[in-house]
Amino acid sequence: MAPAVPRSGDAIFANVERVNAELFTLTYGAIVRQLLTDLEEVEEVNKQLDQMGYNIGIRLIDEFLAKSNVTRCVDFRETAEVIAKVGFKMFLGVTASVTNWDTEGTCCSLILDDNPLVDFVELPDTCQGLYYCNILSGVVRGALEMVSMKTKVTWVRDMLRGDDAFELQVKLLKQVPEEYPYKDDE
Amino acid sequence: MSSRINDYNIFCVVGSDTVRNRSRSLYAEEGSREKMIGAGKMKQYTNVLDKPLSKGRQEVSLSGFAYLFSELVQYNQTQVDNIGELERRLEDAGYAVGVRVLELLCHREKGNRRETRLLGILSFVHSTVWKVLFGKVADSLEKGTEHEDEYMISEKELLVNRFISVPKDMGSFNCGAFVAGIVRGVLDNAGFPAVVTAHFVPVDGQQRPRTTILIKFAEEVLRREARLG
């Protein structure tokens, strides 16, 4: 059987079932609003959003690997490219670009052209510390952790806070070698 | 601090024509300065009310939405002790969505015309709202036979329930409570207060029951409807 060829993000997105982005946007807004009402502290909400994103990420990676047929990434550069071009396109329908590589190749920035989570949204003065899209940083962190990469993902620029783009910084902390759950000699 | 947060501090404002939201905007005093940042870059609108309203064609993957919805349900499960509370919280989340959907669609699809008749608003929910949110019109819209004030929108499989399985010990819990909340949000803000709930209705010959959204209108709606003839 011929080896599966990795598919481009557009091709996969055209093949998956899609829903209206507005339902997605409004549901996310409802989630953030519920969190703010329950937790009241902006820092807590940020943490909770990141945790929710992490929970999504650890499950999302399975679907991503199944649908996209990507081969094992040789290095972190390739990983970042795959996330930006295939991953974001497949789930959110938008592409991201990868920039700002540091000298060792362990830290880069993903710039999102378009962010369906923030349509119609404006941050009021009382919530200026809120990273509204923090769920995305959790998703990336969770997904990468399931493929043995411990990362730190933070928002560098956020349009809701007045910057001119959405920039997510992904820093590779370490590669965790895969552990077998069973010992060989048992 | 908590009372200010309860005042809809984060809100989704819609377009530049909605007067009600403009007055709620906490950025009103900042005005609408537009920054041009370099040639060829997107125009930056500091005030979200000045951004042009999208056409609503953008899509995300169903699985992305399903993950998000599952996190919503899971988070709420940690916050409540019983099923009734959980349904209520999902409904409240849906209510907020419904409010905004009504404003968005009234402006975009209907040219700011308001529905004043019962059948009008019901067919708006059944066709327009369903088409925009779920990609298809609802399967059926029926009038209840036992009570004058009951109407039912049925769907073979709600989009939000596609990937949800309810364990036996949760009884009749239905995540469609979220959709019931959306419908209640739309009806309430269109001036037709109602109690809306979601129920599973087993169907002969089908393994999965179909879902019915039961709408029970308030007294005043029926009285007004009768007056209008």
Side-chain angles (χ1 to χ4, degrees), chain A residues 72-86:
Chain A
R72 198 174 189 76
C73 289
V74 173
D75 59 4
F76 191 59
R77 277 182 183 269
E78 214 183 311
T79 310
E81 280 295 325
V82 162
I83 296 177
K85 298 282 174 280
V86 185

Side-chain angles (χ1 to χ4, degrees), chain A residues 86-143:
Chain A
V86 185
F88 272 104
K89 183 72 194 177
M90 206 168 126
F91 291 102
L92 291 181
V94 297
T95 41
S97 48
V98 189
T99 53
N100 280 354
W101 280 104
D102 71 345
T103 40
E104 290 134 41
T106 55
C107 183
C108 67
S109 287
L110 293 171
I111 311 233
L112 285 162
D113 318 320
D114 190 12
N115 192 344
L117 291 175
V118 303
D119 281 339
F120 318 133
V121 176
E122 190 174 71
L123 281 189
D125 293 327
T126 48
C127 301
Q128 283 299 313
L130 181 70
Y131 283 111
Y132 187 80
C133 315
N134 220 21
I135 210 169
L136 288 180
S137 62
V139 170
V140 174
R141 185 171 67 90

